[in-house]
Amino acid sequence: SQCPWGAAKGAAMSCSLADVMSEQLAKELQLEEEEESAAFPERAAVAEGPFVTGENIDTSSDLMLAQMLQMEFDREYDAQLRREEKKFNGDSKVSISFENYRKVHPFDSDSSEDEVDWQDTRHDPYRADKPTTTPKKGFIGKGKDITTKHDEVVCGRKNTARMENFAPEFQVGDGIGMDLKLSNQVFNALKQHAYSEERRSARLHEKKEHSTAEKAVDPKTRLLLYKMVNSGMLETITGCISTGKESVVFHAYGGNTNEEDKVIPPECAIKVFKTTLNEFKNRDKYIKDDYRFKDRFSKLNPRKIIRMWAEKEMHNLTRMQNAGIPCPQVVILKKHVLVMSFIGQDQAPAPKLKDVKLSSEDMKKAYYQVLHMMQQLYKECNLVHADLSEYNMLWHEGKVVWLIDVSQSVEPTHPHGLEFLFRDCRNVSQFFQKGGVTEALNERELFNAVSNLNITADNEVDFQAEIEALEKMNEDHVQKHGKKVSAFPGDGDPPVCGE
């Protein structure tokens, strides 16, 4: 037999047309083909089979010729696939089949014209069929083989099919293809879970789109800022300079206004109150008992509460500015956006009192400024800061203490006003005593110096008890007479809360 790895034959010499048409040459070529088939039996096997030839079918049609060539190609492809399968499996006990990749199919010329491509129909051959429903009568079969609509297997398959109606985010897998049977209890639990996840995702998306987050604003707030810039009141908004539990502060350069009596500062601070109350839900006590806002307070509308916070800070700053207390100047209030003058220079805010290192002389000067401002705030403005500390006092231009963040400030007639004042006195006393100010009063002495109530108590517990008694007496007086006046005894009675 001829060796397939033998030396290659030389190139055949060209011959004339008469030699090509001779029968002797045809016989020689046929003998060579038979010898080659004997050398390569696998290749010869490919040619075996009911090959469609011109003897038994009309080959005048181009379509028929194409189908014949395609079937021949498919047979060769399948033979190659069998060789690869045999080589891949070898002597392994576990074999891999390539049957799904074969292309040879029985050819029926009579039915080929009636075939319809499955892509032109709604039926997907690669998709498992859904379970058939029971007829209207509620059962199928007869006698012992009767099956009702309450059958466990039938209900399980129906529940598996119903899972496809869940939200697209809820991955259910190919339960129909695996013939999964879900009980009613499991299906109901999955359905409730999918519904809850869908609602939670919607809530998170809505919160992200409609709430003022850290260093970011929601679309409504962004629209307010755009209007301020487009109207010319603000020239440009540079960026965020401070964040807190309840607000975000941005820096902006002031523009011009059409109002003659209003002057826009060269640099402005835009305080945007966050429209979510998660960070300070416990702060409603600062506003719900404030007589200026008590009738308007509502827990059911968080956005209105936020606007009330911004309005409250505007009123408090106006009072402080009229009394001559160093504080930001109010420019305009739009819903929950408050525009004020900027305490600082060239986009650099004035440092907080806790961040600056003052000399003993400057620390002493700052203490007396704070003491004077607390007395002014209580007597002239009829306010208690309620959150006074070194974090809410700025050291501007190296000589003046400025007060900021007065949205939580309340009047002394507030049911907890004196408690807030005592807390402020404690923060101020502790800070300046640690700063080396020997003249700094302790919290009880500072409280009496600011309020002139002259409470005498040997210890802090008795002192706070007397404060609570005064607050209770004042609250009973207000409820009895229905007036917003204080019943505090002494020369330092706060004036009537007339707003």
Side-chain angles (χ1 to χ4, degrees):
S1 62
Q2 184 181 0
C3 179
W5 304 106
K9 295 180 179 180
M13 299 297 295
S14 59
C15 55
S16 62
L17 179 62
D19 296 336
V20 172
M21 298 299 293
S22 65
E23 296 182 1
Q24 183 179 359
L25 179 61
K27 292 180 179 179
E28 292 178 358
L29 293 176
Q30 187 174 2
L31 291 175
E32 291 180 1
E33 186 176 356
E34 292 176 357
E35 292 177 359
E36 186 178 357
S37 300
F40 300 97
E42 292 184 357
R43 185 173 176 182
V46 174
E48 296 177 359
F51 181 70
V52 181
T53 62
E55 299 177 358
N56 52 12
I57 197 167
D58 182 18
T59 57
S60 60
S61 172
D62 293 340
L63 175 62
M64 187 58 60
L65 290 174
Q67 290 175 346
M68 291 164 56
L69 292 173
Q70 182 64 45
M71 291 194 67
E72 181 65 19
F73 172 78
D74 291 345
R75 288 194 183 95
E76 294 179 2
Y77 176 80
D78 289 347
Q80 178 67 20
L81 210 61
R82 281 192 294 270
R83 288 194 296 270
E84 292 181 3
E85 180 180 340
K86 183 178 180 181
K87 179 180 179 182
F88 184 83
N89 292 326
D91 298 332
S92 176
K93 295 182 180 180
V94 180
S95 60
I96 304 299
S97 174
F98 293 169
E99 189 68 29
N100 292 336
Y101 298 97
R102 305 198 190 286
K103 291 187 176 182
V104 174
H105 304 285
F107 175 74
D108 187 2
S109 59
D110 297 335
S111 60
S112 60
E113 298 179 358
D114 301 330
E115 291 181 356
V116 181
D117 189 1
W118 63 267
Q119 293 181 352
D120 298 334
T121 66
R122 294 190 178 184
H123 177 67
D124 186 353
Y126 298 106
R127 186 181 183 88
D129 295 332
K130 291 187 178 181
T132 57
T133 57
T134 54
K136 293 183 179 180
K137 58 185 179 180
F139 64 93
I140 55 176
K142 295 181 179 180
K144 295 181 180 180
D145 299 330
I146 190 171
T147 302
T148 66
K149 62 181 181 180
H150 303 291
D151 185 70
E152 183 178 358
V153 176
V154 174
C155 290
R157 288 173 176 166
K158 286 184 179 179
N159 291 336
T160 303
R162 290 193 190 105
M163 284 199 306
E164 294 187 355
N165 298 326
F166 291 170
E169 298 82 9
F170 194 81
Q171 303 294 335
V172 297
D174 186 17
I176 298 178
M178 295 185 296
D179 195 19
L180 189 65
K181 305 175 186 65
L182 292 180
S183 64
N184 292 337
Q185 183 179 3
V186 174
F187 173 76
N188 291 333
L190 288 175
K191 182 179 179 181
Q192 185 62 35
H193 177 67
Y195 179 67
S196 302
E197 285 295 311
E198 187 177 5
R199 292 188 61 186
R200 187 182 69 86
S201 177
R203 284 197 306 269
L204 292 177
H205 180 72
E206 183 180 3
K207 180 180 178 182
K208 182 178 179 180
E209 291 293 328
H210 299 91
S211 65
T212 305
E214 191 79 6
K215 298 184 181 180
V217 292
D218 61 322
K220 292 184 179 179
T221 306
R222 197 178 303 120
L223 182 60
L224 290 176
L225 299 180
Y226 285 159
K227 288 183 178 180
M228 292 180 184
V229 175
N230 292 336
S231 65
M233 186 178 66
L234 298 178
E235 182 179 349
T236 181
I237 299 175
T238 58
C240 177
I241 58 176
S242 176
T243 60
K245 294 178 292 184
E246 63 196 40
S247 62
V248 182
V249 182
F250 297 91
H251 175 271
Y253 286 105
N256 300 319
T257 179
N258 298 328
E259 302 178 14
E260 298 179 357
D261 58 340
K262 183 177 291 187
V263 179
I264 306 296
E267 292 185 87
C268 297
I270 306 175
K271 189 170 185 179
V272 180
F273 288 82
K274 294 181 181 179
T275 53
T276 54
L277 292 178
N278 296 332
E279 293 85 358
F280 56 107
K281 286 183 178 180
N282 58 341
R283 308 194 103 198
D284 58 355
K285 62 182 179 181
Y286 292 97
I287 194 171
K288 71 177 182 180
D289 294 324
D290 195 320
Y291 294 113
R292 298 172 293 171
F293 304 94
K294 188 173 183 179
D295 296 335
R296 297 164 51 193
F297 181 80
S298 173
K299 288 185 177 180
L300 302 179
N301 197 332
R303 280 192 173 268
K304 288 189 176 181
I305 298 176
I306 296 301
R307 294 181 189 178
M308 214 175 295
W309 272 93
E311 182 182 347
K312 186 178 181 182
E313 178 153 8
M314 182 194 68
H315 289 311
N316 293 341
L317 287 174
T318 304
R319 284 192 187 185
M320 295 169 61
Q321 186 179 355
N322 294 336
I325 299 176
C327 66
Q329 176 188 355
V330 177
V331 177
I332 193 173
L333 172 66
K334 289 290 186 181
K335 295 183 179 179
H336 60 284
V337 178
L338 179 62
V339 182
M340 306 171 289
S341 60
F342 180 70
I343 311 302
Q345 190 175 5
D346 297 332
Q347 301 186 30
K352 298 177 182 178
L353 210 56
K354 75 175 185 67
D355 296 328
V356 293
K357 294 182 179 180
L358 302 178
S359 62
S360 57
E361 194 66 29
D362 288 339
M363 184 67 76
K364 182 178 178 180
K365 183 174 67 173
Y367 171 72
Y368 283 108
Q369 287 183 13
V370 174
L371 176 59
H372 180 63
M373 283 191 296
M374 291 180 68
Q375 292 173 339
Q376 279 186 298
L377 196 65
Y378 187 86
K379 296 177 181 178
E380 299 180 26
C381 302
N382 191 30
L383 287 175
V384 175
H385 191 283
D387 193 21
L388 188 62
S389 66
E390 62 272 19
Y391 292 87
N392 293 329
M393 293 184 285
L394 304 181
W395 183 251
H396 187 42
E397 297 177 350
K399 57 182 179 180
V400 183
V401 177
W402 292 65
L403 291 184
I404 60 171
D405 194 9
V406 293
S407 59
Q408 73 287 329
S409 299
V410 297
E411 296 186 350
T413 53
H414 188 278
H416 304 285
L418 296 183
E419 294 180 27
F420 298 153
L421 177 61
F422 184 74
R423 187 176 61 189
D424 291 347
C425 295
R426 177 188 295 158
N427 294 336
V428 172
S429 296
Q430 291 179 353
F431 173 73
F432 285 103
Q433 285 176 357
K434 291 179 180 179
V437 181
T438 56
E439 296 87 350
L441 304 174
N442 60 36
E443 57 265 24
R444 286 173 283 172
E445 295 172 344
L446 183 58
F447 180 88
N448 288 329
V450 172
S451 63
N452 289 337
L453 291 177
N454 298 324
I455 299 177
T456 57
D458 298 333
N459 52 56
E460 185 176 337
V461 177
D462 295 339
F463 195 90
Q464 290 184 343
E466 291 193 28
I467 290 177
E468 293 177 2
L470 287 174
E471 290 178 339
K472 183 68 169 61
M473 181 176 62
N474 180 67
E475 189 173 2
D476 294 341
H477 177 81
V478 172
Q479 291 180 356
K480 181 178 180 181
H481 298 279
K483 297 179 181 180
K484 303 173 185 177
V485 294
S486 173
F488 299 150
D491 299 332
D493 294 347
V496 175
C497 307
E499 184 164 327

